[in-house]
Amino acid sequence: MIPAAALGLYNHLGRADELAVALNMPAPGSGEQPTLEQALTALEQQLDAEPENPEGWYLLANTHMNTGNYTAGVAAFEQVLIYLPEDAPQCASVMGQLAQAMYFANDGK
């Protein structure tokens, strides 16, 4: 009875939407995990639909940097700076990462 009441209360007051997403995610090793390319495509489609998402652009930029696609990383970091408020505490850090991405994209120049 207590677990059922707790789930009901959590559903009413807690983060039930996030719990539902987590419960519906495929299990690790089930073969249903998206590939990196599929995840990138999904993220890019989401950003096309909702471009004013600096967190999404930041995730895309870091993914491109980690895969060695520095030119795409530069473009994504530039999008972060378009949508991130100038007074945000992360702004200076993103500018530094953009500069680093530009350095790598230009073969160290």
Side-chain angles (χ1 to χ4, degrees):
M1 182 90 171
I2 292 176
L7 281 174
L9 188 59
Y10 184 80
N11 186 34
H12 182 69
L13 299 174
R15 296 177 170 221
D17 295 336
E18 292 179 19
L19 178 61
V21 169
L23 290 175
N24 291 321
M25 291 185 69
S30 67
E32 296 180 29
Q33 294 287 334
T35 64
L36 177 60
E37 292 79 19
Q38 291 170 330
L40 276 175
T41 300
L43 179 57
E44 289 168 346
Q45 289 173 348
Q46 180 183 359
L47 290 171
D48 283 342
E50 300 174 25
E52 296 181 11
N53 180 353
E55 292 87 2
W57 286 111
Y58 186 78
L59 177 61
L60 184 64
N62 278 310
T63 303
H64 283 311
M65 293 300 293
N66 289 331
T67 59
N69 190 350
Y70 304 124
T71 303
V74 168
F77 277 126
E78 288 172 342
Q79 292 297 313
V80 174
L81 291 173
I82 288 172
Y83 297 113
L84 187 68
E86 288 183 21
D87 60 347
Q90 303 87 350
C91 199
S93 174
V94 173
M95 286 182 188
Q97 289 175 300
L98 172 60
Q100 184 179 23
M102 292 170 75
Y103 177 80
F104 287 129
N106 291 312
D107 296 320
K109 296 178 186 172

